[in-house]
């Protein structure tokens, strides 16, 4: 069998950090996407599967910053900071509960590549926007998950773990 999972995860850790770090600034707003991703798994046997997991996450914070210009007049600039990450990893899944065709519980470990970038933009004249890449190119995940199939081919998934995909993620599963 081949199983494909689409998922959305929680929490967006960087969005949570941005909200806490910039609390108290003027007109703060945070945004972001994800963690969102897609997993595909090929079952080698009833208990073992190999797969791939591709995920994306972004988080931004926008805020107003008031300062004094060269003439000691108050001026307000709008600043935006954020991060984006895309990762792809190979996964190994051990299916420890498979009581029926409807229920499938598994433990998972995965490792691969990720590309995280950080950026900072401002409306302040003369300031050049900045963007840098992260220094750690390793994506990983360790966790456990469960799938419940409503029909022979369509179901839902729920997983908990640490690494790419958030602490909790869930979504739609399709089995071929």
């Amino acid at each position: 069998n081949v199983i494909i999972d689409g998922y959305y995860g929680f929490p967006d850790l960087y969005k949570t950090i941005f909200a806490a770090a910039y609390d108290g600034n003027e007109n703060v707003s945070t945004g972001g996407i994800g963690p969102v991703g897609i997993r595909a798994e090929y079952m080698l046997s009833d208990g073992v599967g190999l797969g791939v997991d591709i995920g994306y996450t972004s988080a931004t914070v926008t805020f107003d910053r008031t300062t004094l210009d060269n003439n000691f007049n108050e001026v307000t600039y709008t600043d935006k900071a954020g991060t984006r990450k895309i990762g792809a990893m190979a996964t190994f899944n051990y299916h420890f509960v498979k009581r029926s065709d409807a229920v499938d519980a598994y433990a998972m470990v995965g490792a691969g590549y990720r590309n995280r970038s950080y950026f900072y933009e401002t409306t302040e004249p003369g300031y050049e926007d900045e963007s840098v890449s992260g220094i750690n190119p390793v994506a990983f995940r360790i966790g456990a998950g469960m799938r419940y199939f409503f029909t022979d081919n369509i179901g839902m998934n729920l997983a908990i773990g640490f690494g790419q995909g958030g602490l909790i993620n869930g979504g739609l599963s399709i089995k071929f």
Side-chain angles (χ1 to χ4, degrees):
N1 287 335
V2 173
I3 303 167
I4 297 175
D5 296 334
Y7 65 84
Y8 196 90
F10 177 83
D12 183 337
L13 184 59
Y14 277 87
K15 184 177 172 183
T16 304
I17 291 169
F18 286 160
Y22 289 90
D23 187 32
N25 288 68
E26 298 177 42
N27 297 325
V28 175
S29 65
T30 58
I33 298 172
V36 62
I38 189 166
R39 292 185 282 259
E41 179 182 6
Y42 176 74
M43 297 299 297
L44 298 174
S45 69
D46 281 345
V48 176
L50 295 178
V52 63
D53 185 332
I54 299 170
Y56 176 80
T57 305
S58 71
T60 60
V61 60
T62 304
F63 59 95
D64 289 344
R65 176 176 48 90
T66 302
T67 188
L68 298 176
D69 67 9
N70 293 336
N71 297 322
F72 298 101
N73 297 315
E74 276 193 1
V75 291
T76 301
Y77 303 112
T78 301
D79 295 355
K80 182 177 183 179
T83 182
R84 295 178 190 97
K85 180 196 71 113
I86 188 162
M89 69 177 81
T91 61
F92 173 82
N93 299 334
Y94 174 70
H95 297 259
F96 55 87
V97 174
K98 198 156 179 134
R99 299 196 190 279
S100 68
D101 287 339
V103 177
D104 177 20
Y106 60 92
M108 168 255 210
V109 63
Y113 174 77
R114 76 172 182 176
N115 181 352
R116 181 173 294 280
S117 62
Y118 302 90
F119 66 90
Y120 185 81
E121 303 167 353
T122 183
T123 59
E124 183 176 352
Y127 188 90
E128 291 188 32
D129 296 339
E130 296 181 37
S131 179
V132 296
S133 293
I135 59 172
N136 179 7
V138 178
F140 71 95
R141 179 151 182 95
I142 186 167
M146 187 196 90
R147 297 180 183 108
Y148 177 78
F149 288 92
F150 309 117
T151 69
D152 288 342
N153 302 89
I154 299 173
M156 65 179 201
N157 62 73
L158 181 64
I160 60 171
F162 184 72
Q164 179 170 300
L167 294 175
I168 300 171
N169 65 56
L172 184 65
S173 296
I174 300 171
K175 181 169 40 172
F176 299 97

